[in-house]
């Protein structure tokens, strides 16, 4: 109760300060709020399950209250406190308080910007980048509703930044001739604190410079390094992961078309100094892309080629969002034998505990079902090949179509000289019937996605042959019922069948063996609901989803899960 009283006093003080400064606008409040209520109904389709609890209920109410203080035009302070009450807690017993965000930023001398505390940062897909996994790229309006709240909770932004804690500076130099601008920035963040025993402080630092010529050319250079700070513990084993890349972009812009050509190339190294048992990973990567945009037609074409060496290691670019070693919070075990439940699409759309919030120094385990070709993004090591893209958007915003093909292979064979091939194809499109029929106040949007991924390898030896295929589909609908009331629906499937040999890695992420992976798996989600938009920043939704999951090849039991959700969200 003492803690609760402290926060009440804090909020009261904030309110008084806010009122006192309202006229000068030196203090203002921003944030978000949500209320969620859900219920699950579990069904075991394989046996008379007398052990697993069939029904669960839950939910919470939450508000993120951010106080912005600007004592002068050169300094801004932001502090955000999260107050959350899980349903079932009364008189403060179920209330939790957390500091969600805290930073200070400002300008020194009119040109040098700085930020201390929480920072959101990224560079390029080969240095420092938060990649969205393939399975989360094509959510419909039903599964994206809880997933957007998951992304909000773990600080995943649309610009692919990682939330870090540390400091950053940036400044720019402007020129009147030849060169338009040169921008510089640098950051240092703390990845892991020392335990004052055998674990050193681990930091992550970076520097970037971008030269903008303005008309035909941009040049860039990036350097990042994850490193242990010597002397902060009794251990003399020091991790070092420096990565350096350089890039150039050429563009030719005319009235009817625009052509871009870009290249990024770089070198990486990962080592554990003073550890005689540790390997040293050192390799290079390069990526070349050419893009053409036919402005009047709405057509955009892209062709690229990349080569990422088998020992290329870049912690900031290869850390996956999903922690596949985690266990779902809902029904983590089921059946009379209490089997471990594998992660499903439904879990990934609503369970924030399955996502990483910190950068990992080594390659983590991945699930071949959800992406066997590029689990670590475009910087996935030991990949080479072409990427082709085509996009069309109707000038009247009636329909759009996008297609992409990744035709990749190993750079070197693993366990054999034969190379695996990884072919991924995705087509998605949308139709806005309301615009087609020139409806002014009604919406009818239909979207569809189909994708397939094939992993294959053949050789003279039987163990060299692998064949693993994945197919996925998303169909979605949003239509107006009356004014701001809308109907939403979604159908998603994910199927993987076949056999592969998946690399088994030690604590250094060094391949030490291969695990036989065999599956004949299918999962499907069907969902529908209604949503009412109070405005651009607040909405309430009521939804019902049903999940069917089955894997005939593994020692698992098929199951079904029906779930309802009522969710209100607001930003202010």
């Amino acid at each position: 109760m003492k803690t609760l009283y402290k926060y009440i006093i804090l909020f009261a003080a904030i309110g008084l300060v806010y009122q006192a400064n309202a006229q000068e606008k030196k203090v203002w409040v921003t944030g978000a709020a949500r209320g969620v209520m859900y219920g699950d109904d579990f069904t075991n389709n394989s046996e008379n399950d007398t052990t697993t609890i069939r029904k669960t209920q839950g939910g919470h109410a939450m508000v993120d209250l951010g106080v912005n203080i600007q004592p002068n035009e050169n300094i801004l302070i932001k502090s955000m406190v999260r107050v959350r009450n899980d349903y079932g807690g009364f008189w403060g017993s179920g209330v939790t308080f957390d500091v969600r965000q805290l930073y200070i930023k400002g300008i020194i001398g009119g040109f040098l910007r700085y930020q201390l505390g929480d920072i959101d940062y990224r560079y390029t897909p080969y240095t420092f980048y938060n990649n969205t996994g393939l399975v989360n790229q094509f959510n419909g309006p039903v599964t994206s509703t809880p997933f957007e709240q998951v992304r909000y909770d773990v600080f995943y932004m649309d610009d692919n930044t990682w939330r870090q804690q540390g400091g950053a500076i940036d400044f720019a130099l402007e020129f009147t001739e030849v060169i338009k601008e040169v921008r510089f920035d640098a950051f240092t963040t703390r990845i892991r604190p020392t335990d004052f025993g055998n674990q050193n402080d681990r930091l992550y630092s970076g520097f970037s410079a971008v030269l903008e010529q303005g008309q035909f050319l941009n040049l860039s250079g990036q350097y990042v390094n994850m490193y242990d700070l010597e002397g902060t513990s009794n251990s003399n084993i020091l991790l070092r992961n420096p990565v350096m890349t350089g890039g150039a972009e050429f563009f030719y812009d005319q009235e009817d078309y625009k052509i871009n050509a870009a290249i990024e190339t770089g070198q990486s190294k990962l080592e554990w100094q003073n550890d005689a048992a540790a390997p040293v990973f050192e390799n290079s990567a390069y990526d070349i892309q050419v893009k053409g945009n036919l402005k009047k037609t709405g057509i955009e074409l892209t062709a690229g080629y990349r080569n990422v060496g088998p020992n290329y290691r870049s912690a900031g670019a290869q850390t996956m969002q999903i922690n596949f070693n985690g266990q779902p919070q809902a029904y983590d075990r089921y059946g009379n034998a209490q089997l471990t439940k594998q992660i499903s699409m439904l879990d990934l759309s609503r369970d924030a505990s399955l996502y990483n919030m910190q950068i990992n120094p080594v390659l983590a385990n991945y699930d071949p079902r959800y992406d066997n070709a590029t689990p670590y993004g475009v910087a996935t090591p030991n990949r080479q090949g072409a990427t082709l893209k085509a996009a069309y958007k109707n000038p009247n915003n009636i329909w759009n179509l996008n297609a992409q093909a990744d035709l990749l292979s190993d750079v070197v064979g693993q366990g054999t000289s034969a190379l695996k091939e990884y072919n991924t194809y995705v087509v998605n499109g949308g139709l806005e019937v309301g615009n087609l029929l020139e409806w002014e106040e009604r919406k009818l949007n239909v979207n569809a996605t189909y994708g397939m991924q094939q992993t294959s390898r053949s050789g003279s030896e039987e163990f060299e042959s692998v064949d693993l295929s994945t197919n996925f589909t998303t169909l979605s609908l949003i239509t107006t019922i009356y004014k701001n009331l809308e109907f939403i629906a979604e159908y998603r499937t994910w199927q993987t069948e076949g056999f592969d040999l998946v690399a088994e890695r030690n604590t250094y992420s060094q391949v030490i063996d291969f695990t036989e992976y065999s599956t004949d798996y299918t999962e499907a989600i069907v969902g529908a609901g209604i949503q009412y938009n109070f405005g651009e920043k607040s909405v309430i939704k009521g939804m019902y989803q049903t999940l069917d999951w089955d894997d005939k090849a593994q020692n698992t039991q098929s199951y079904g899960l029906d779930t309802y959700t009522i969710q209100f969200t607001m930003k202010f």
Side-chain angles (χ1 to χ4, degrees), residues 199-218:
Q199 179 175 285
N200 285 298
D201 256 352
R202 181 164 292 168
L203 305 181
Y204 189 58
S205 302
F207 172 81
S208 171
V210 178
L211 183 151
E212 228 182 275
Q213 187 271 335
Q215 291 183 318
F216 306 106
L217 174 67
N218 290 336

Side-chain angles (χ1 to χ4, degrees), residues 254-268:
Q254 296 295 305
E255 182 180 355
D256 296 334
Y257 63 90
K258 181 178 180 179
I259 298 175
N260 291 63
I263 181 172
E264 182 178 5
T265 181
Q267 188 80 17
S268 74

